[in-house]
Amino acid sequence: MRKSFSIYLFFVCLMALQSCKKFEDEPKDLDTYNIIFDPADLNAVRAQEFLNNIYTFLPTGFARVGGDFLDAATDDAVSIVPISSITYYTNGIVSVVNNPDQYFSNAYFGIRQANIFLANSAKIPVPAGNPIRTKRFNAEARFIRAFLYFQLLQRYGGVPLISDNVFTLNDNLQLKRNTFEECVNYIASECDAIKPDLYPDNDSNANNFGRIVQGAAVALKCRLYLYAASPLFNGGGVEADSELKKLTGYLTTDITRWQKVVDAVAEFKALGNYYSLQTGAAASGYRNIFINKKNSEVIFAKQSVNNFDIENNNAPVGYVGFAAIAGGGRTNPTQNFVDAFTTINGKPISQDLKSTTNPNGYDPASPYANRDPRFYVTVFFSNANTPSAANYNWLNRAVETFEGGRDKPNNNLVTQTRTGYYLRKFMGNFVTGTTYSQQSHNFIYFRYAEILLNNAEALNELGGRTEDAVKEIIEIRKRAGINAGTDARYGIPSGTSQAAMRDIIRNERRIELSFEEHRFYDVRRWKNANTELNKTLTGMKITREANGSYTHEIIPVVSIAFQDKLYHNPFPYDETVKNSTLRQNFGW
């Protein structure tokens, strides 16, 4: 018995001694890399799986912020849930510990995974029939890394650039922020370096569909330069401290920075004529961009399986009871956004009133008639008394957002629109029928219309090239279905000044790129968020009278506020605690 106890005691002491050793010298996942990047894996199956996983770190888009579109943090929409986390951006609740879209850790985790891939990709065998395979793999990983850095840049300004490093637990992680300029130069140089090795834009191999193409690299560079040339970043920072200011932008203004945008657009167009605006009658071309996985306008999009989540989450609430329909009505466009749509003549509603000589103008008594055709595939509105009402139906009936209507029943048990509108964009063509079918809902990161809008903005800002900018906007309005007019200028007055054209371009972006995560950042980079996001958001109250007619009244919905510190996100508190050299942004 004593002998048995002595042996037992020996093993207990041995285990105790072992427990005193340092538990982990390096991440245990490093043990698996020899399996993933195995030279004997001739088809590089595991390596490709690892690369495919890096794609998952790209933002998902759509209702990704607490169940809401990012645009619900702007003047374009409100959430049907008044206390949703998206409201933190408009009611002053955002803080270093309470930010619904910080994205910091996700981005750096994705960057680390890209670096791990790049550090091990030399082990991947190069097949005789495909000598460029590894180059393409590396280019894809580097693009994702560059795109993640851009996601950080637009939120925070300059961030630490870690190059190709794969840090271990013993490395010094007290990393200072790189300047805004250094980050811009790094991302741009990555786009230039990887472009030749990416898939060509006209690659017809179905197995490569959804992968990163050369056009995506140029499109990223184009958007990057657009931001860099914009007022907030181009010498217009809100910081008084010059050392902090250069972390979030350039110290001085240089109008010629817009030329880099124009040059990037020219580089994009030089790739060939593969891309073009989707066309179709009655704005169907515009609608189909978002429900056809492969079309001539999409440059790069997040791939997902077909579903009807957007329909379920955002369709008007009164359709509950149909097969497989929930009618969540989550996103409510505002009257402010609806008023941004021009008439069919391409003119602002305040300047194009209906008359006997202008029958296609705006009529306040029938506010949804004669509007930009994109309106009808972007917004659900109460269409019962609208000409061609059946064309705007949903599941074979009119949408009823008038007081007491099926989609605004004023029943305390039913959550309903706060503005009189629901979001229709991104949804399938369900004018008729009684249920949904599976739809393609890939979130688009880059599309051709944005390239044209970027070019228009840059050309106009350079001065002396306003008419060149007009041509780009005409292309977009022509596709939208706006009337050309006798002067073929699609509502843009002859002799439009640079300042007036700037307003036209900004409004065109607001409409064309709505709910694609542009408005939130556009009003920041234009440095007019303190005007655009300090206001009362409105909706439309529609009353059906006893004689069957309808009256319309614009009503206040909620007041939103913006502070200068919101031009840049705060770095998360836990990150500044772990990294004491990570300088916090202004106001936080």
Side-chain angles (χ1 to χ4, degrees):
M1 175 67 72
R2 284 186 176 181
K3 184 176 180 182
S4 298
F5 179 78
S6 298
I7 295 173
Y8 170 78
L9 183 63
F10 170 79
F11 280 109
V12 168
C13 294
L14 180 63
M15 292 173 66
L17 287 172
Q18 288 178 332
S19 67
C20 293
K21 294 177 63 179
K22 190 172 181 179
F23 181 73
E24 188 174 324
D25 291 324
E26 59 183 16
K28 291 299 183 185
D29 57 4
L30 292 178
D31 295 340
T32 66
Y33 297 153
N34 289 334
I35 299 174
I36 295 172
F37 301 97
D38 183 0
D41 183 6
L42 299 181
N43 293 319
V45 173
R46 294 188 182 90
Q48 289 187 70
E49 290 174 349
F50 190 93
L51 176 61
N52 291 343
N53 184 65
I54 301 175
Y55 275 78
T56 65
F57 291 96
L58 296 172
T60 56
F62 298 128
R64 66 176 182 81
V65 185
D68 288 295
F69 282 80
L70 185 61
D71 299 63
T74 74
D75 51 345
D76 282 355
V78 297
S79 173
I80 203 171
V81 182
I83 58 172
S84 167
S85 62
I86 198 69
T87 64
Y88 295 175
Y89 289 112
T90 55
N91 62 14
I93 295 181
V94 169
S95 70
V96 296
V97 295
N98 196 9
N99 184 352
D101 186 36
Q102 60 170 317
Y103 205 68
F104 190 90
S105 59
N106 181 87
Y108 273 108
F109 194 8
I111 289 167
R112 174 180 171 81
Q113 294 301 94
N115 283 352
I116 290 172
F117 183 90
L118 294 168
N120 290 275
S121 65
K123 303 173 186 176
I124 300 173
V126 179
N130 190 8
I132 63 172
R133 182 176 70 178
T134 304
K135 285 186 177 181
R136 281 194 177 160
F137 287 173
N138 287 347
E140 288 179 74
R142 289 173 69 179
F143 173 89
I144 296 171
R145 182 175 67 182
F147 193 31
L148 293 176
Y149 272 123
F150 176 79
Q151 293 291 319
L152 292 168
L153 188 73
Q154 67 178 352
R155 288 168 171 79
Y156 302 103
V159 293
L161 296 172
I162 63 175
S163 187
D164 293 333
N165 289 314
V166 179
F167 292 112
T168 68
L169 297 177
N170 294 322
D171 286 325
N172 179 14
L173 299 180
Q174 299 296 300
L175 304 174
K176 292 183 178 181
R177 296 171 64 179
N178 287 78
T179 66
F180 178 84
E181 182 174 11
E182 289 169 340
C183 291
V184 169
N185 291 343
Y186 173 78
I187 297 170
S189 66
E190 283 291 281
C191 291
D192 287 336
I194 64 179
K195 175 187 153 186
D197 295 332
L198 290 169
Y199 292 94
D201 294 77
N202 62 349
D203 193 320
S204 59
N205 187 342
N207 293 329
N208 298 332
F209 175 70
R211 307 204 79 87
I212 300 156
V213 294
Q214 293 175 0
V218 184
L220 173 57
K221 185 170 68 171
C222 183
R223 187 185 295 176
L224 171 73
Y225 283 148
L226 182 82
Y227 275 62
S230 297
L232 177 65
F233 304 106
N234 195 357
V238 295
E239 302 86 355
D241 183 335
S242 61
E243 289 301 310
L244 183 56
K245 184 176 179 180
K246 71 180 181 180
L247 294 178
T248 59
Y250 296 102
L251 289 177
T252 58
T253 303
D254 184 354
I255 297 300
T256 63
R257 291 192 176 107
W258 290 105
Q259 185 60 46
K260 289 188 175 182
V261 181
V262 176
D263 293 343
V265 172
E267 180 183 353
F268 182 88
K269 292 183 176 181
L271 291 171
N273 59 359
Y274 181 73
Y275 298 103
S276 62
L277 296 174
Q278 282 286 102
T279 58
S284 61
Y286 182 72
R287 180 189 61 225
N288 291 341
I289 297 167
F290 310 105
I291 58 175
N292 291 342
K293 284 187 183 293
K294 193 170 185 180
N295 64 71
S296 64
E297 191 160 337
V298 175
I299 302 166
F300 181 49
K302 180 101 171 181
Q303 301 301 301
S304 63
V305 296
N306 287 4
N307 60 76
F308 43 79
D309 291 347
I310 293 177
E311 288 81 2
N312 273 347
N313 292 335
N314 283 290
V317 298
Y319 292 85
V320 175
F322 286 84
I325 298 172
R330 179 81 184 211
T331 305
N332 305 161
T334 61
Q335 188 65 43
N336 313 68
F337 174 65
V338 169
D339 286 346
F341 285 87
T342 69
T343 66
I344 190 68
N345 299 321
K347 298 177 181 179
I349 58 175
S350 60
Q351 301 174 16
D352 197 37
L353 296 177
K354 185 175 183 179
S355 66
T356 54
T357 57
N358 181 27
N360 293 327
Y362 176 71
D363 181 1
S366 184
Y368 310 125
N370 303 325
R371 301 298 291 272
D372 179 334
R374 288 171 293 187
F375 167 72
Y376 303 111
V377 293
T378 301
V379 178
F380 281 115
F381 61 99
S382 198
N383 67 298
N385 67 330
T386 303
S388 303
N391 294 329
Y392 316 126
N393 281 355
W394 189 246
L395 293 175
N396 219 27
R397 76 159 170 87
V399 177
E400 298 179 357
T401 58
F402 54 80
E403 299 301 300
R406 281 177 283 186
D407 304 304
K408 197 174 189 297
N410 295 330
N411 182 333
N412 291 334
L413 300 178
V414 178
T415 303
Q416 63 183 21
T417 174
R418 299 165 64 195
T419 64
Y421 304 104
Y422 296 98
L423 181 66
R424 187 167 191 158
K425 188 172 178 177
F426 310 115
M427 297 191 190
N429 185 21
F430 297 114
V431 172
T432 60
T434 58
T435 189
Y436 303 138
S437 59
Q438 303 282 346
Q439 298 291 303
S440 168
H441 289 315
N442 288 348
F443 182 75
I444 299 173
Y445 297 124
F446 301 102
R447 61 186 178 94
Y448 187 59
E450 184 200 343
I451 300 295
L452 298 182
L453 286 163
N454 293 352
N455 202 31
E457 185 173 349
L459 289 168
N460 189 60
E461 295 300 334
L462 282 170
R465 302 196 65 180
T466 295
E467 279 304 304
D468 291 330
V470 169
K471 295 176 183 177
E472 300 287 53
I473 300 302
I474 283 177
E475 286 303 305
I476 292 173
R477 290 190 168 191
K478 184 187 301 183
R479 184 274 294 280
I482 299 292
N483 291 340
T486 56
D487 57 1
R489 291 178 65 86
Y490 293 81
I492 303 173
S494 179
T496 296
S497 68
Q498 181 190 42
M501 192 62 196
R502 180 180 297 123
D503 291 339
I504 290 172
I505 293 168
R506 290 180 177 183
N507 194 70
E508 200 69 29
R509 283 185 70 92
R510 183 180 187 179
I511 294 167
E512 175 69 27
L513 303 178
S514 61
F515 299 94
E516 298 177 49
E517 298 205 350
H518 288 275
R519 179 72 175 171
F520 182 91
Y521 293 109
D522 277 348
V523 295
R524 284 165 168 76
R525 68 179 180 86
W526 291 330
K527 205 181 173 183
N528 63 356
N530 49 6
T531 299
E532 298 299 321
L533 302 184
N534 266 322
K535 62 174 65 168
T536 297
L537 303 186
T538 57
M540 183 69 82
K541 179 180 180 181
I542 306 172
T543 304
R544 182 166 59 180
E545 304 296 339
N547 63 2
S549 64
Y550 295 83
T551 59
H552 300 79
E553 177 190 359
I554 295 176
I555 59 171
V557 175
V558 64
S559 293
I560 60 174
F562 183 89
Q563 300 170 297
D564 279 354
K565 66 179 183 178
L566 287 167
Y567 276 115
H568 305 291
N569 273 7
F571 285 100
Y573 172 76
D574 57 342
E575 297 297 337
T576 57
V577 169
K578 289 183 292 187
N579 179 4
S580 60
T581 67
L582 187 68
R583 188 170 182 185
Q584 186 58 274
N585 277 328
F586 162 79
W588 302 104

